[in-house]
Amino acid sequence: MSDALAGLYQQVILDHAKARTGDRELPGADAEHYERNPTCGDEITVRVVMEPGTDTIRELAWQGDGCSISMASASVLADIAPGLTLAELAERTEAFRGMMRSKGAGEPDEDLLGDAVAFQGVSKFVMRVKCAMLSWVAAEACSTQLVAKVR
Amino acid sequence: MISTSSSSVGSLSRYRADFPGLQPEVNGEPLAYLDSGATAQRPSAVLDVERRFLETTNAAVHRGAHTLAALATEAYEEARETVARFVGARSSDEIVWTSNATDALNLVAYGMGNATLGRGGPEASRFVLAPGDEILVTEAEHHANLVPWQELAARTGATFRYVPVHDDGTWSIDDAAAALTDRTRVFAFAHVSNVTGHVAPVAELAELAHGVGALVVLDACQSAPHRALDLVGLGVDFAAFSAHKMLGPTGIGVLWGREELLDALPPFRTGGSMITTVTMESSSFLPSPARFEAGTQPVSQSIALAEAVRYLERVGLEAIDEHEARLGQRLVDELGALPGVRVVGPASGVARAGLASFDVAGVHAHDVGQFLDAQGIAVRVGHHCAQPLHRRLGLTATTRASTYLYSTDDEIDRLVQGVSEVRAYFGAE
């Protein structure tokens, strides 16, 4: 198979697309957001539960339907979100977005992004960037709701 | 792998060299362009004619009296006559240039809406919709032949209804007969489905619809490029198609309508070039086609479209139809035989256009398309602007391979081989 394809479908991505983290309901969620990519029909609902009285995420779960890139990206996000404060999640979201906009040129921060650096190869495929961003955008909307609640 | 060849195939393969867009490699692999249902590649003749027109004859049409203006106007109207002959129109006045097929369908829908608002003379009363009147489409329609009617119903208080499809995405004349009522004022449907390749029995449907007094609007986007069309003979009232799916340029589409209907339908876009008299109180409008062609028109595109039509006629629509029908059967037979692959639309042996949409169990269509793209195989993925149909099929997206006169058996071989490897790659077996 071509190198380009292997660069896109890193093993980490293929693994997360199959054995998904956080792909389930989350009763009693403090925030919930549905996001859709109208061009391809991919959709996802991200839910977040916070540690009571804090701005730290206890759990992030999601349910959706889409390609391996969007599903694997949600799975990785569900892996790294617990224990992060909303500000820390925002920092990682910005780093992830920057990587996705790099068209393959960026040097992602592995300490910050963990397994999410596997999506670096996706940034060369402009048609697939929105797939990778879908769950992160939904989580960002959840954060906005939570910040508004705290205020 | 079956790789049949026949004399007609041999006779069409020689046309491939006419298409510069088919030459380049993609991802280091020879391009297998199986996305002509979305947009077709264009032969050099079409590209050359448009460029030559712009270099030698470019001028505004239907205004100005200089030599170039006269030559451009003549070429522009000859293009209309060429397209009129191609679809069996009674006269070139039945051919309206639009910006694309979607625009053509909106023209009819908005014209009827304007009639309902009281615009147009007494002759426009046949287009007036009242609450309780019904607009009928099918569940398989492309959004272009669905949303404008849904919106027209919402604006006028008419009821929007649809012919439901079966589990395979097709529908029959009996289904249409059951959905037509004496309140049906419009029946809009695709001649050939862009998703299933299903071919509607247009003449019989038109007769049924006329029996209840409905106007028949045909989406001919997937038929006009691929088969001989006789719109008058089919008995429909309006038909829409797009140039870029039939070897022509983007930016121009065609609305055909029966002349007496076009002359009675209130205009959609208004402005320059479509009027007879304008005062500060009101305006009166030219007959068709000018009444629908406000503002500057796609002139060089019309010249190029006419050349595309001549090209198609040189190849022969019957030969094109036969070639693609055979490839369509190969697609349904060979893709359908792969484990975990479900081809939607008509079963093997049933008439279908030269296209097939399919689902690969456990692998999203975007991943299928990406995998094939890495092999130089260009297909379309997604809902193909037919969300309700996909919802009915229980799918959010499919992969579609669509052929044209330049498509080859080798390309089908490569596609089938590629699809056969997809599930293993994504661990979906």
Side-chain angles (χ1 to χ4, degrees), chain B residues 112 114-119 124-130 133 156 185:
Chain B
M112 295 186 72
N114 287 342
T116 305
L117 290 170
R119 303 303 299 157
S125 63
R126 65 198 304 170
F127 300 114
V128 172
L129 294 168
D133 285 344
T156 59
R185 301 295 316 281

Side-chain angles (χ1 to χ4, degrees), chain A residues 1-2 5-6 8-9 14 18 36 38-43 65-69 125 127-128 131, chain B residues 27 364 366-368 370-371 373-375 381-383 387 391 395-397 421 425-429:
Chain A
M1 195 41 61
S2 78
L5 203 64
L8 173 65
Y9 293 115
L14 292 176
K18 284 204 76 183
R36 184 159 210 269
T39 55
C40 64
D42 283 9
E43 56 186 356
D65 182 37
C67 65
S68 61
I69 302 294
F125 296 80
M127 308 291 283
R128 305 303 294 277
C131 312
Chain B
N27 296 319
H364 192 276
H366 263 189
D367 295 318
V368 176
Q370 195 86 56
F371 182 84
D373 181 56
Q375 303 179 16
V381 297
H383 49 60
Q387 281 183 8
R391 201 170 291 122
L395 303 166
T396 51
E421 297 163 1
Y425 184 85
F426 289 100
E429 280 179 330

Side-chain angles (χ1 to χ4, degrees), chain B residues 97-281:
Chain B
W97 303 130
T98 62
S99 55
N100 49 47
T102 301
D103 189 42
L105 293 162
N106 273 285
L107 188 163
V108 179
Y110 272 89
M112 295 186 72
N114 287 342
T116 305
L117 290 170
R119 303 303 299 157
E123 72 280 7
S125 63
R126 65 198 304 170
F127 300 114
V128 172
L129 294 168
D133 285 344
E134 295 170 359
I135 300 171
L136 185 66
V137 301
T138 85
E139 202 174 5
E141 293 312 303
H142 187 287
H143 296 163
N145 199 30
L146 191 164
V147 183
W149 302 115
Q150 207 172 44
E151 286 294 304
L152 176 63
R155 287 197 302 276
T156 59
T159 305
F160 178 79
R161 299 185 62 231
Y162 61 88
V163 179
V165 300
H166 300 226
D167 290 346
D168 64 358
T170 67
W171 54 282
S172 71
I173 195 155
D174 292 339
D175 301 321
L180 285 160
T181 75
D182 58 7
R183 295 305 301 268
T184 309
R185 301 295 316 281
V186 180
F187 182 24
F189 59 90
H191 190 173
V192 172
S193 163
N194 70 311
V195 176
T196 65
H198 169 249
V199 184
V202 178
E204 292 88 336
L205 289 163
E207 198 179 334
L208 261 184
H210 286 156
V212 300
L215 289 165
V216 177
V217 181
L218 187 70
D219 170 0
C221 285
Q222 298 292 344
S223 59
H226 304 285
R227 56 182 62 215
L229 269 194
D230 173 10
L231 292 171
V232 171
L234 288 172
V236 299
D237 298 302
F238 296 100
F241 51 98
S242 249
H244 72 98
K245 294 187 198 293
M246 53 190 288
L247 314 182
T250 53
I252 185 168
V254 177
L255 173 70
W256 169 85
R258 289 201 285 125
E259 194 169 355
E260 65 274 22
L261 292 177
L262 288 174
D263 286 342
L265 187 68
F268 169 30
R269 301 181 200 289
T270 54
S273 311
M274 49 78 72
I275 50 81
T276 48
T277 307
V278 177
T279 68
M280 294 315 288
E281 286 70 43

